[in-house]
Amino acid sequence: MRRRSFLLGAATAAAAGSVGYWRSRVVETTPDVHYPGMQAGHALRDKAALPHPTGTRQHQVAILGAGVAGLSCAWKLAREGFTDFVVVQGPEFAGNAAAGQRDGLDYPLGAHYLPLPSLASTHVREMLADFGIIEHGAGDTRPYYDEAVLVHSPQERLLRNGRWEEGLLPMTGVPDADAAQHRRFLALIDQLRTQVGNDGRKVFCIPLEMSSRDPAWRALDGLTFKAWLTQEGYTSPALHWYLNYCCRDDYGARHDEVSAWAGLHYFASRDGHAANAGEGAVLTWPGGLAVLADRMRDAITRQLGHTGWLLQGTAMRIDELPAGPRVLCVKDSPDGAASAYAVQTRRTVCAMPLFVAQRLLPDLRAYGYDPAVHTAPHAAWMVSNFVMDGYPLEAPGEPLSWDNVVYEGQALGYVVSTHQLLRVARTPRSVFTAYHALSGQTPQAARDWLTRASPQDLRDIAAADLVAAYGKEFWRSARQLEITVRGHAMASPVCGYLSNPGLAALRAVDGPVLFAHADLSGYSVFEEASWWGVKAAGRILGHHEQG
C-alpha cells in the first residue's frame, strides 16, 4: 500500500444559545500508514523472481538484519576487534526498536523502554556501560544510571471509573477480598524473584536460557496463565484484567493463551535495581529503544573507522556452498527498479524472525526446525503516533504520566514522547504513542483484517483509548497521525514454548549458518534479542581464535 499523508484537524467547541456543537477543522482524515517489511516479506512468501546480482562481495561474516540481535552481534564483534563483517540492513533499521520524527519530535515506532537489567544480563550491562548509560558500577547489584534516561515521575496511571489512579493494578475501590488477592499475588512475585530450582539456577531469569530446568517449575508451561491463576484461587476481576493486560502488552496474546510459566516470568525475572532510582524504574527515551540501536551503530562505526559495514538491501536467499554461505541481497534503486548483489561469506548470521529465515534457506528442517510444527504464533501490532499541539483536558485524579492506560480499554494505552524532556513546564507540542496488540482474534485473522482495513478503520482503532480518555476534546489537540502496522510483530509464548524442540535445535546450531533473534527465546524483548546476537558473536570469535 502507498504511503498516505494527512492533517488531523481539531474539533472546535462553540456555543449556539444553550446548545453546544463541534465544528470540524479536519482537512483530510487519512493517516500516514506504514507497513515495514511487508513488501519484502510477501515477495519471499510468494517466491517472486529475483534480479541477478551485479557483483559479489567477499567477507568472513555477514549478519542479516539490523534489528537488535543483528546490531548486538556486530557491536560485540567490533568491540572484540573482529572487523571483517557486514550487516545487511533489511527493510527497516532497528526493526521493532525503530523510531520516527516529525517537526523535531522523536517518537517510537515499536519498543519504547528497557527494564533495568538484572545481574544475569551481563551482556546488556556491558552495552549500557559502553554507551555511558550506566555511569559506574555495571557489575554491582545497584549500578548508577544516567539520570536523564531513568523514567521520570509520574510514571504510570490508570483511568478507572472516570478518574485517573496512580499505578496500573487497582488497589483502592475494589472489594476487600480482591485487594487481599492483589497483595497475595505481589508477595508471591517477590518470593519468585529469588526462587531457585533443583539445579541451583534461578527459576525465572533473563536471558531465558539461564533459567532453571527444574521439571517441577517447567510444568507451569503446560497450562495457561489464566488457568493457573484460577487453580491458585485468584479470582479478582481487576487482577485478571491487569494480568491479561500485561500479557497483551509484553507478549501480544491474552492470558488465556500465554503459558503460566511465561506469565510469571514476566514479573519474577525483572529484578534489576539502580543506585539512583526507586523500584520499578525503567530506561526510556523520546524515540524509545531506537536510541540504543543508534548507539550500537555509532560504536561499531567508531571501532571500524568507516560506515561501509552497513549495507542497504534485504537478504532474499542463502545458498549453502562448500566455500560457505552465499547471500543474495536485493535493494531498491532511486528510480524504483530493484538491483541485487551477493555476499560470499564463511559464516552467516540469520538475525531475522524465523518465519523469514525459513524462506531464505533451502530447508530449515535440516537444522532441526520444522516450520509446519515448531513455528510459534506471531502477534499483530499497531503503533500509532499522534502529533499534538497542546494537550487535551484531563479527567480528575493523577496528572499526565509517561504511561497512561484505560481500564478495560480496547488497546494498551499510550505513552508521552516528551515526558523525559527536562523542563519546568510542559512542552508546547508532544507525541502521544498508542499501542494496540490485536489479540482479540487469531494472528492470521488480525493480519487479514489489517490488509483489508481502510485508513479510517485503522485510525478508529488507533484512537480508541485516547477518545475513551478525552472524548472529542482529544481532536482539538491532535494534528498528525502516523500508524505503523507490524503484522508479525512478536512471537507469543503460548503453552509448550519452553519445550519446543525446533527452537532448542536452532539455539544449538554452531556452523556456517548461525541464528540470532528473540524468536529463539519464544518471545520478544530487547534483552533476549541482544543475548542471541552476542552469543552468535561469541561463537564466531571462538572459531576465529581456534583458526
Side-chain angles (χ1 to χ4, degrees), residues 216-363:
W217 287 102
R218 292 269 168 149
L220 289 168
D221 190 39
L223 70 164
T224 68
F225 194 22
K226 182 179 181 181
W228 178 85
L229 289 166
T230 303
Q231 174 183 294
E232 296 298 313
Y234 294 106
T235 58
S236 162
L239 180 62
H240 274 263
W241 169 83
Y242 170 66
L243 298 178
N244 186 46
Y245 165 84
C246 291
C247 288
R248 292 170 59 217
D249 186 49
D250 228 39
Y251 301 140
R254 303 185 310 270
H255 77 324
D256 62 355
E257 301 170 307
V258 165
S259 149
W261 196 96
L264 292 170
H265 181 267
Y266 172 95
F267 297 97
S269 61
R270 301 296 194 191
D271 60 355
H273 303 281
N276 53 333
E279 299 304 310
V282 299
L283 306 174
T284 190
W285 299 261
L289 296 190
V291 168
L292 295 181
D294 290 342
R295 298 279 182 92
M296 283 190 273
R297 178 184 58 198
D298 295 344
I300 296 164
T301 299
R302 283 195 305 272
Q303 188 68 31
L304 301 186
H306 63 85
T307 59
W309 60 272
L310 183 60
L311 306 182
Q312 298 302 304
T314 300
M316 300 294 285
R317 191 178 71 228
I318 300 172
D319 296 315
E320 299 178 85
L321 306 177
R326 183 175 184 266
V327 185
L328 178 66
C329 306
V330 175
K331 65 176 181 178
D332 294 329
S333 301
D335 61 1
S339 61
Y341 62 90
V343 185
Q344 179 64 54
T345 74
R346 291 180 60 189
R347 308 194 84 182
T348 289
V349 180
C350 291
M352 76 277 286
L354 296 180
F355 67 84
V356 177
Q358 75 183 55
R359 305 286 184 180
L360 269 66
L361 287 158
D363 189 357

Side-chain angles (χ1 to χ4, degrees), residues 112-143:
H112 61 284
Y113 74 97
L114 176 66
L116 299 181
S118 63
L119 279 170
S121 294
T122 54
H123 61 299
V124 179
R125 289 187 173 215
E126 179 187 18
M127 184 181 292
L128 297 181
D130 188 30
F131 302 158
I133 294 169
I134 292 181
E135 296 184 344
H136 56 81
D140 297 345
T141 302
R142 293 178 177 271

Side-chain angles (χ1 to χ4, degrees), residues 54 60 134 159 161 200 288 294 348 451 457 472 479 484 514:
T54 57
Q60 288 195 53
I134 292 181
L159 182 62
N161 298 326
D294 290 342
T348 289
T451 59
D457 291 336
K472 291 181 179 179
R479 286 294 178 268
T484 302
L514 296 168

Side-chain angles (χ1 to χ4, degrees), residues 58-259:
Q58 301 279 342
H59 295 280
Q60 288 195 53
V61 174
I63 301 165
L64 310 183
V68 170
L71 291 172
S72 294
C73 182
W75 167 80
K76 185 63 174 177
L77 289 176
R79 185 171 170 81
E80 298 301 323
F82 186 97
T83 60
D84 190 11
F85 67 84
V86 289
V87 175
V88 181
Q89 177 175 291
E92 182 184 32
F93 180 78
N96 281 354
Q101 185 183 77
R102 292 193 182 211
D103 303 328
L105 293 170
D106 295 322
Y107 47 82
L109 301 178
H112 61 284
Y113 74 97
L114 176 66
L116 299 181
S118 63
L119 279 170
S121 294
T122 54
H123 61 299
V124 179
R125 289 187 173 215
E126 179 187 18
M127 184 181 292
L128 297 181
D130 188 30
F131 302 158
I133 294 169
I134 292 181
E135 296 184 344
H136 56 81
D140 297 345
T141 302
R142 293 178 177 271
Y144 194 94
Y145 288 85
D146 178 1
E147 296 273 1
V149 302
L150 286 165
V151 66
H152 301 162
S153 293
Q155 181 171 342
E156 56 188 18
R157 63 177 184 167
L158 178 68
L159 182 62
R160 190 167 66 105
N161 298 326
R163 188 175 184 84
W164 288 105
E165 305 172 358
E166 184 179 6
L168 299 186
L169 175 59
M171 295 299 291
T172 59
V174 296
D176 290 345
D178 290 358
Q181 288 184 28
H182 300 185
R183 290 191 294 271
R184 178 162 67 94
F185 180 80
L186 296 176
L188 173 66
I189 293 303
D190 283 340
Q191 173 189 333
L192 292 180
R193 287 195 177 104
T194 57
Q195 185 72 47
V196 175
N198 63 5
D199 52 5
R201 294 183 172 197
K202 282 188 61 180
V203 171
F204 301 104
C205 191
I206 292 183
L208 181 144
E209 191 182 36
M210 298 176 67
S211 297
S212 173
R213 267 66 168 181
D214 186 336
W217 287 102
R218 292 269 168 149
L220 289 168
D221 190 39
L223 70 164
T224 68
F225 194 22
K226 182 179 181 181
W228 178 85
L229 289 166
T230 303
Q231 174 183 294
E232 296 298 313
Y234 294 106
T235 58
S236 162
L239 180 62
H240 274 263
W241 169 83
Y242 170 66
L243 298 178
N244 186 46
Y245 165 84
C246 291
C247 288
R248 292 170 59 217
D249 186 49
D250 228 39
Y251 301 140
R254 303 185 310 270
H255 77 324
D256 62 355
E257 301 170 307
V258 165
S259 149

Side-chain angles (χ1 to χ4, degrees), residues 39-40 42-51 316-317:
Q39 182 177 357
H42 287 187
L44 278 169
R45 180 197 65 189
D46 300 335
K47 299 181 180 179
L50 301 175
M316 300 294 285
R317 191 178 71 228

